[in-house]
Structures are given as structure tokens and as C-alpha cells.
PDB file of all heavy atoms in Angstrom:
ATOM      1  N   ASN A   3     107.369  39.358  96.765  1.00 94.00           N
ATOM      2  CA  ASN A   3     107.047  40.599  96.138  1.00 94.00           C
ATOM      3  C   ASN A   3     105.432  40.939  96.426  1.00 94.00           C
ATOM      4  O   ASN A   3     104.762  39.944  96.625  1.00 94.00           O
ATOM      5  CB  ASN A   3     107.261  40.426  94.622  1.00 94.00           C
ATOM      6  CG  ASN A   3     108.763  40.359  94.279  1.00 94.00           C
ATOM      7  OD1 ASN A   3     109.448  41.151  94.869  1.00 94.00           O
ATOM      8  ND2 ASN A   3     109.066  39.656  93.206  1.00 94.00           N
ATOM      9  N   ARG A   4     105.227  42.135  96.526  1.00 91.00           N
ATOM     10  CA  ARG A   4     103.759  42.497  96.664  1.00 91.00           C
ATOM     11  C   ARG A   4     103.049  42.122  95.439  1.00 91.00           C
ATOM     12  O   ARG A   4     103.593  41.975  94.259  1.00 91.00           O
ATOM     13  CB  ARG A   4     103.670  44.015  96.897  1.00 91.00           C
ATOM     14  CG  ARG A   4     104.115  44.856  95.681  1.00 91.00           C
ATOM     15  CD  ARG A   4     104.238  46.245  96.251  1.00 91.00           C
ATOM     16  NE  ARG A   4     104.560  47.208  95.122  1.00 91.00           N
ATOM     17  CZ  ARG A   4     104.985  48.365  95.278  1.00 91.00           C
ATOM     18  NH1 ARG A   4     105.214  49.001  96.430  1.00 91.00           N
ATOM     19  NH2 ARG A   4     105.392  49.242  94.269  1.00 91.00           N
ATOM     20  N   GLN A   5     101.735  42.012  95.463  1.00 84.00           N
ATOM     21  CA  GLN A   5     100.906  41.528  94.326  1.00 84.00           C
ATOM     22  C   GLN A   5     100.360  42.613  93.383  1.00 84.00           C
ATOM     23  O   GLN A   5      99.850  42.319  92.313  1.00 84.00           O
ATOM     24  CB  GLN A   5      99.738  40.710  94.873  1.00 84.00           C
ATOM     25  CG  GLN A   5     100.170  39.523  95.773  1.00 84.00           C
ATOM     26  CD  GLN A   5     100.888  38.564  95.056  1.00 84.00           C
ATOM     27  OE1 GLN A   5     100.459  38.029  93.958  1.00 84.00           O
ATOM     28  NE2 GLN A   5     102.073  38.214  95.405  1.00 84.00           N
ATOM     29  N   SER A   6     100.564  43.790  93.720  1.00 83.00           N
ATOM     30  CA  SER A   6     100.240  44.945  92.945  1.00 83.00           C
ATOM     31  C   SER A   6     101.123  46.131  92.946  1.00 83.00           C
ATOM     32  O   SER A   6     102.039  46.025  93.672  1.00 83.00           O
ATOM     33  CB  SER A   6      98.821  45.423  93.135  1.00 83.00           C
ATOM     34  OG  SER A   6      98.668  46.100  94.440  1.00 83.00           O
ATOM     35  N   SER A   7     100.767  47.224  92.259  1.00 88.00           N
ATOM     36  CA  SER A   7     101.570  48.492  92.434  1.00 88.00           C
ATOM     37  C   SER A   7     101.215  49.182  93.609  1.00 88.00           C
ATOM     38  O   SER A   7     102.027  50.183  93.978  1.00 88.00           O
ATOM     39  CB  SER A   7     101.354  49.331  91.178  1.00 88.00           C
ATOM     40  OG  SER A   7      99.963  49.590  91.210  1.00 88.00           O
ATOM     41  N   ARG A   8     100.223  48.905  94.432  1.00 93.00           N
ATOM     42  CA  ARG A   8     100.071  49.733  95.495  1.00 93.00           C
ATOM     43  C   ARG A   8     100.984  49.243  96.644  1.00 93.00           C
ATOM     44  O   ARG A   8     101.131  47.955  96.965  1.00 93.00           O
ATOM     45  CB  ARG A   8      98.458  49.335  95.971  1.00 93.00           C
ATOM     46  CG  ARG A   8      97.509  49.647  94.954  1.00 93.00           C
ATOM     47  CD  ARG A   8      96.098  49.298  95.402  1.00 93.00           C
ATOM     48  NE  ARG A   8      95.200  49.606  94.422  1.00 93.00           N
ATOM     49  CZ  ARG A   8      94.312  50.694  94.561  1.00 93.00           C
ATOM     50  NH1 ARG A   8      94.478  51.531  95.610  1.00 93.00           N
ATOM     51  NH2 ARG A   8      93.395  50.972  93.607  1.00 93.00           N
ATOM     52  N   ARG A   9     101.374  50.216  97.387  1.00 95.00           N
ATOM     53  CA  ARG A   9     102.396  49.865  98.532  1.00 95.00           C
ATOM     54  C   ARG A   9     101.673  49.094  99.708  1.00 95.00           C
ATOM     55  O   ARG A   9     100.450  49.583 100.043  1.00 95.00           O
ATOM     56  CB  ARG A   9     102.903  51.188  99.034  1.00 95.00           C
ATOM     57  CG  ARG A   9     103.977  51.691  98.047  1.00 95.00           C
ATOM     58  CD  ARG A   9     104.709  52.861  98.569  1.00 95.00           C
ATOM     59  NE  ARG A   9     105.769  53.328  97.643  1.00 95.00           N
ATOM     60  CZ  ARG A   9     106.916  52.944  97.333  1.00 95.00           C
ATOM     61  NH1 ARG A   9     107.348  51.935  98.233  1.00 95.00           N
ATOM     62  NH2 ARG A   9     107.866  53.396  96.478  1.00 95.00           N
ATOM     63  N   LEU A  10     102.265  48.296 100.268  1.00 96.00           N
ATOM     64  CA  LEU A  10     101.571  47.580 101.427  1.00 96.00           C
ATOM     65  C   LEU A  10     101.488  48.353 102.737  1.00 96.00           C
ATOM     66  O   LEU A  10     102.580  49.149 102.975  1.00 96.00           O
ATOM     67  CB  LEU A  10     102.312  46.291 101.697  1.00 96.00           C
ATOM     68  CG  LEU A  10     102.660  45.388 100.462  1.00 96.00           C
ATOM     69  CD1 LEU A  10     103.405  44.156 100.890  1.00 96.00           C
ATOM     70  CD2 LEU A  10     101.315  44.912  99.745  1.00 96.00           C
ATOM     71  N   GLN A  11     100.514  48.362 103.433  1.00 96.00           N
ATOM     72  CA  GLN A  11     100.285  49.137 104.611  1.00 96.00           C
ATOM     73  C   GLN A  11     100.528  48.220 105.960  1.00 96.00           C
ATOM     74  O   GLN A  11     101.194  48.646 106.832  1.00 96.00           O
ATOM     75  CB  GLN A  11      98.912  49.860 104.596  1.00 96.00           C
ATOM     76  CG  GLN A  11      98.693  50.776 105.785  1.00 96.00           C
ATOM     77  CD  GLN A  11      99.549  52.134 105.544  1.00 96.00           C
ATOM     78  OE1 GLN A  11      99.668  52.576 104.402  1.00 96.00           O
ATOM     79  NE2 GLN A  11     100.109  52.618 106.613  1.00 96.00           N
ATOM     80  N   ASN A  12      99.883  46.995 105.883  1.00 97.00           N
ATOM     81  CA  ASN A  12      99.892  46.181 107.050  1.00 97.00           C
ATOM     82  C   ASN A  12      99.461  44.806 106.582  1.00 97.00           C
ATOM     83  O   ASN A  12      98.843  44.621 105.550  1.00 97.00           O
ATOM     84  CB  ASN A  12      98.882  46.714 108.061  1.00 97.00           C
ATOM     85  CG  ASN A  12      99.234  46.044 109.470  1.00 97.00           C
ATOM     86  OD1 ASN A  12     100.000  45.264 109.683  1.00 97.00           O
ATOM     87  ND2 ASN A  12      98.354  46.520 110.547  1.00 97.00           N
ATOM     88  N   MET A  13      99.923  43.780 107.318  1.00 98.00           N
ATOM     89  CA  MET A  13      99.535  42.381 107.155  1.00 98.00           C
ATOM     90  C   MET A  13      99.427  41.586 108.264  1.00 98.00           C
ATOM     91  O   MET A  13      99.993  42.011 109.423  1.00 98.00           O
ATOM     92  CB  MET A  13     100.640  41.710 106.258  1.00 98.00           C
ATOM     93  CG  MET A  13     100.816  42.346 104.889  1.00 98.00           C
ATOM     94  SD  MET A  13     102.126  41.365 103.894  1.00 98.00           S
ATOM     95  CE  MET A  13     101.214  39.901 103.529  1.00 98.00           C
ATOM     96  N   GLY A  14      98.654  40.555 108.221  1.00 98.00           N
ATOM     97  CA  GLY A  14      98.544  39.607 109.428  1.00 98.00           C
ATOM     98  C   GLY A  14      97.977  38.315 109.086  1.00 98.00           C
ATOM     99  O   GLY A  14      97.802  38.074 107.806  1.00 98.00           O
ATOM    100  N   PHE A  15      97.439  37.557 109.919  1.00 97.00           N
ATOM    101  CA  PHE A  15      96.958  36.219 109.759  1.00 97.00           C
ATOM    102  C   PHE A  15      95.666  36.035 110.018  1.00 97.00           C
ATOM    103  O   PHE A  15      95.029  36.570 110.989  1.00 97.00           O
ATOM    104  CB  PHE A  15      97.799  35.170 110.523  1.00 97.00           C
ATOM    105  CG  PHE A  15      99.246  35.133 110.299  1.00 97.00           C
ATOM    106  CD1 PHE A  15     100.156  35.884 110.947  1.00 97.00           C
ATOM    107  CD2 PHE A  15      99.702  34.223 109.152  1.00 97.00           C
ATOM    108  CE1 PHE A  15     101.575  35.829 110.696  1.00 97.00           C
ATOM    109  CE2 PHE A  15     101.150  34.263 108.997  1.00 97.00           C
ATOM    110  CZ  PHE A  15     102.014  35.014 109.693  1.00 97.00           C
ATOM    111  N   THR A  16      94.886  35.286 109.233  1.00 97.00           N
ATOM    112  CA  THR A  16      93.390  34.976 109.210  1.00 97.00           C
ATOM    113  C   THR A  16      93.309  33.749 110.233  1.00 97.00           C
ATOM    114  O   THR A  16      94.294  33.076 110.540  1.00 97.00           O
ATOM    115  CB  THR A  16      92.755  34.661 107.940  1.00 97.00           C
ATOM    116  OG1 THR A  16      93.194  33.420 107.429  1.00 97.00           O
ATOM    117  CG2 THR A  16      93.060  35.660 106.885  1.00 97.00           C
ATOM    118  N   PRO A  17      92.174  33.408 110.756  1.00 95.00           N
ATOM    119  CA  PRO A  17      92.067  32.411 111.684  1.00 95.00           C
ATOM    120  C   PRO A  17      92.442  31.067 111.159  1.00 95.00           C
ATOM    121  O   PRO A  17      92.767  30.126 111.781  1.00 95.00           O
ATOM    122  CB  PRO A  17      90.392  32.407 112.077  1.00 95.00           C
ATOM    123  CG  PRO A  17      90.019  33.926 111.864  1.00 95.00           C
ATOM    124  CD  PRO A  17      90.924  34.327 110.711  1.00 95.00           C
ATOM    125  N   ASP A  18      92.363  30.929 109.847  1.00 93.00           N
ATOM    126  CA  ASP A  18      92.734  29.690 109.080  1.00 93.00           C
ATOM    127  C   ASP A  18      94.095  29.599 108.676  1.00 93.00           C
ATOM    128  O   ASP A  18      94.706  28.662 108.061  1.00 93.00           O
ATOM    129  CB  ASP A  18      91.745  29.324 107.988  1.00 93.00           C
ATOM    130  CG  ASP A  18      91.981  30.205 106.916  1.00 93.00           C
ATOM    131  OD1 ASP A  18      92.814  31.136 106.865  1.00 93.00           O
ATOM    132  OD2 ASP A  18      91.288  30.022 105.813  1.00 93.00           O
ATOM    133  N   GLY A  19      94.945  30.623 109.093  1.00 93.00           N
ATOM    134  CA  GLY A  19      96.334  30.641 108.710  1.00 93.00           C
ATOM    135  C   GLY A  19      96.698  31.239 107.519  1.00 93.00           C
ATOM    136  O   GLY A  19      97.899  31.287 106.971  1.00 93.00           O
ATOM    137  N   SER A  20      95.716  31.778 106.575  1.00 96.00           N
ATOM    138  CA  SER A  20      95.941  32.539 105.509  1.00 96.00           C
ATOM    139  C   SER A  20      96.526  34.048 105.859  1.00 96.00           C
ATOM    140  O   SER A  20      96.542  34.313 107.092  1.00 96.00           O
ATOM    141  CB  SER A  20      94.725  32.690 104.545  1.00 96.00           C
ATOM    142  OG  SER A  20      94.237  31.532 104.303  1.00 96.00           O
ATOM    143  N   LEU A  21      96.864  34.723 104.802  1.00 97.00           N
ATOM    144  CA  LEU A  21      97.400  36.033 105.029  1.00 97.00           C
ATOM    145  C   LEU A  21      96.302  37.076 104.616  1.00 97.00           C
ATOM    146  O   LEU A  21      95.640  36.827 103.730  1.00 97.00           O
ATOM    147  CB  LEU A  21      98.641  36.383 104.186  1.00 97.00           C
ATOM    148  CG  LEU A  21      99.999  35.653 104.729  1.00 97.00           C
ATOM    149  CD1 LEU A  21     101.033  35.944 103.743  1.00 97.00           C
ATOM    150  CD2 LEU A  21     100.405  36.139 106.032  1.00 97.00           C
ATOM    151  N   TRP A  22      96.202  38.183 105.270  1.00 98.00           N
ATOM    152  CA  TRP A  22      95.431  39.431 104.955  1.00 98.00           C
ATOM    153  C   TRP A  22      96.460  40.528 104.698  1.00 98.00           C
ATOM    154  O   TRP A  22      97.476  40.635 105.388  1.00 98.00           O
ATOM    155  CB  TRP A  22      94.261  39.846 105.762  1.00 98.00           C
ATOM    156  CG  TRP A  22      94.638  40.150 107.309  1.00 98.00           C
ATOM    157  CD1 TRP A  22      94.707  39.376 108.277  1.00 98.00           C
ATOM    158  CD2 TRP A  22      95.306  41.442 107.721  1.00 98.00           C
ATOM    159  NE1 TRP A  22      95.134  39.926 109.360  1.00 98.00           N
ATOM    160  CE2 TRP A  22      95.415  41.239 109.066  1.00 98.00           C
ATOM    161  CE3 TRP A  22      95.636  42.490 107.066  1.00 98.00           C
ATOM    162  CZ2 TRP A  22      96.055  42.245 109.893  1.00 98.00           C
ATOM    163  CZ3 TRP A  22      96.107  43.571 107.842  1.00 98.00           C
ATOM    164  CH2 TRP A  22      96.285  43.426 109.300  1.00 98.00           C
ATOM    165  N   VAL A  23      96.253  41.414 103.788  1.00 97.00           N
ATOM    166  CA  VAL A  23      97.084  42.562 103.514  1.00 97.00           C
ATOM    167  C   VAL A  23      96.238  43.826 103.276  1.00 97.00           C
ATOM    168  O   VAL A  23      95.235  43.608 102.540  1.00 97.00           O
ATOM    169  CB  VAL A  23      98.120  42.299 102.329  1.00 97.00           C
ATOM    170  CG1 VAL A  23      97.229  41.835 101.097  1.00 97.00           C
ATOM    171  CG2 VAL A  23      98.951  43.474 102.168  1.00 97.00           C
ATOM    172  N   LEU A  24      96.604  44.824 103.892  1.00 97.00           N
ATOM    173  CA  LEU A  24      95.890  46.036 103.592  1.00 97.00           C
ATOM    174  C   LEU A  24      97.026  46.923 102.683  1.00 97.00           C
ATOM    175  O   LEU A  24      98.213  47.050 103.115  1.00 97.00           O
ATOM    176  CB  LEU A  24      95.609  46.948 104.849  1.00 97.00           C
ATOM    177  CG  LEU A  24      94.478  46.272 105.724  1.00 97.00           C
ATOM    178  CD1 LEU A  24      94.435  46.987 106.994  1.00 97.00           C
ATOM    179  CD2 LEU A  24      93.167  46.275 105.038  1.00 97.00           C
ATOM    180  N   ALA A  25      96.546  47.492 101.522  1.00 95.00           N
ATOM    181  CA  ALA A  25      97.388  48.337 100.876  1.00 95.00           C
ATOM    182  C   ALA A  25      96.857  49.684 100.626  1.00 95.00           C
ATOM    183  O   ALA A  25      95.762  50.005 100.924  1.00 95.00           O
ATOM    184  CB  ALA A  25      97.515  47.542  99.507  1.00 95.00           C
ATOM    185  N   ARG A  26      97.694  50.651 100.056  1.00 93.00           N
ATOM    186  CA  ARG A  26      97.462  51.971 100.006  1.00 93.00           C
ATOM    187  C   ARG A  26      95.984  51.966  99.105  1.00 93.00           C
ATOM    188  O   ARG A  26      95.738  51.322  98.136  1.00 93.00           O
ATOM    189  CB  ARG A  26      98.414  52.670  99.236  1.00 93.00           C
ATOM    190  CG  ARG A  26      99.621  52.921  99.981  1.00 93.00           C
ATOM    191  CD  ARG A  26      99.529  53.851 101.116  1.00 93.00           C
ATOM    192  NE  ARG A  26     100.704  53.897 101.977  1.00 93.00           N
ATOM    193  CZ  ARG A  26     101.730  54.773 101.674  1.00 93.00           C
ATOM    194  NH1 ARG A  26     101.798  55.468 100.549  1.00 93.00           N
ATOM    195  NH2 ARG A  26     102.832  54.779 102.434  1.00 93.00           N
ATOM    196  N   GLY A  27      95.301  53.070  99.212  1.00 90.00           N
ATOM    197  CA  GLY A  27      93.943  53.242  98.531  1.00 90.00           C
ATOM    198  C   GLY A  27      92.753  52.402  99.085  1.00 90.00           C
ATOM    199  O   GLY A  27      91.862  52.201  98.373  1.00 90.00           O
ATOM    200  N   GLY A  28      92.929  51.866 100.294  1.00 92.00           N
ATOM    201  CA  GLY A  28      91.738  51.193 100.844  1.00 92.00           C
ATOM    202  C   GLY A  28      91.639  49.781 100.346  1.00 92.00           C
ATOM    203  O   GLY A  28      90.528  49.267 100.390  1.00 92.00           O
ATOM    204  N   GLN A  29      92.603  49.152  99.865  1.00 94.00           N
ATOM    205  CA  GLN A  29      92.601  47.723  99.248  1.00 94.00           C
ATOM    206  C   GLN A  29      92.902  46.745 100.325  1.00 94.00           C
ATOM    207  O   GLN A  29      93.809  46.874 101.220  1.00 94.00           O
ATOM    208  CB  GLN A  29      93.592  47.604  98.110  1.00 94.00           C
ATOM    209  CG  GLN A  29      93.471  46.213  97.455  1.00 94.00           C
ATOM    210  CD  GLN A  29      94.546  46.090  96.351  1.00 94.00           C
ATOM    211  OE1 GLN A  29      94.325  46.749  95.310  1.00 94.00           O
ATOM    212  NE2 GLN A  29      95.717  45.342  96.538  1.00 94.00           N
ATOM    213  N   LEU A  30      92.065  45.785 100.233  1.00 96.00           N
ATOM    214  CA  LEU A  30      92.156  44.552 101.096  1.00 96.00           C
ATOM    215  C   LEU A  30      92.211  43.231 100.253  1.00 96.00           C
ATOM    216  O   LEU A  30      91.489  43.079  99.345  1.00 96.00           O
ATOM    217  CB  LEU A  30      90.960  44.406 102.170  1.00 96.00           C
ATOM    218  CG  LEU A  30      90.774  43.123 102.938  1.00 96.00           C
ATOM    219  CD1 LEU A  30      91.967  42.950 103.865  1.00 96.00           C
ATOM    220  CD2 LEU A  30      89.514  43.171 103.676  1.00 96.00           C
ATOM    221  N   GLN A  31      93.118  42.403 100.748  1.00 96.00           N
ATOM    222  CA  GLN A  31      93.339  41.071  99.930  1.00 96.00           C
ATOM    223  C   GLN A  31      93.767  39.956 100.760  1.00 96.00           C
ATOM    224  O   GLN A  31      94.402  40.197 101.866  1.00 96.00           O
ATOM    225  CB  GLN A  31      94.463  41.346  98.777  1.00 96.00           C
ATOM    226  CG  GLN A  31      94.264  40.386  97.711  1.00 96.00           C
ATOM    227  CD  GLN A  31      95.193  40.835  96.528  1.00 96.00           C
ATOM    228  OE1 GLN A  31      95.882  41.694  96.608  1.00 96.00           O
ATOM    229  NE2 GLN A  31      95.195  40.081  95.371  1.00 96.00           N
ATOM    230  N   PHE A  32      93.291  38.726 100.411  1.00 97.00           N
ATOM    231  CA  PHE A  32      93.446  37.563 101.250  1.00 97.00           C
ATOM    232  C   PHE A  32      94.322  36.549 100.354  1.00 97.00           C
ATOM    233  O   PHE A  32      94.085  36.400  99.059  1.00 97.00           O
ATOM    234  CB  PHE A  32      92.152  36.888 101.665  1.00 97.00           C
ATOM    235  CG  PHE A  32      91.390  37.792 102.604  1.00 97.00           C
ATOM    236  CD1 PHE A  32      90.259  38.456 102.090  1.00 97.00           C
ATOM    237  CD2 PHE A  32      91.652  37.801 104.012  1.00 97.00           C
ATOM    238  CE1 PHE A  32      89.590  39.325 102.982  1.00 97.00           C
ATOM    239  CE2 PHE A  32      90.951  38.590 104.834  1.00 97.00           C
ATOM    240  CZ  PHE A  32      89.976  39.371 104.310  1.00 97.00           C
ATOM    241  N   SER A  33      95.165  35.906 100.962  1.00 96.00           N
ATOM    242  CA  SER A  33      95.974  34.786 100.318  1.00 96.00           C
ATOM    243  C   SER A  33      95.214  33.485 100.301  1.00 96.00           C
ATOM    244  O   SER A  33      94.352  33.330 101.157  1.00 96.00           O
ATOM    245  CB  SER A  33      97.319  34.643 100.821  1.00 96.00           C
ATOM    246  OG  SER A  33      97.271  33.940 102.013  1.00 96.00           O
TER     247      SER A  33
END
């Protein structure tokens, strides 16, 4: 499941293997 009410726009991997996610409204988050 997504982590907030904002719809997910795109996702990928960081150099250390974590995830990054871009969501609607200009939000960026790292796992």
C-alpha cells in the first residue's frame, strides 16, 4: 500500500538499495 493519500507518480531505487517515491503535489519520500 502507498504511505499517504497522495497518488504515487514514480518510484525507483537509491544507490544503497532503498526506495524513493514521487507522489502528487511534489512530495518525495525515501524508505
Side-chain angles (χ1 to χ4, degrees):
N3 292 322
R4 64 189 184 197
Q5 298 302 303
S6 73
S7 60
R8 297 173 182 266
R9 291 190 179 275
L10 308 180
Q11 189 71 39
N12 197 0
M13 295 185 70
F15 295 93
T16 69
D18 68 359
S20 303
L21 291 169
W22 58 259
V23 58
L24 295 173
R26 296 287 179 87
Q29 178 180 289
L30 168 63
Q31 201 167 6
F32 297 96
S33 76

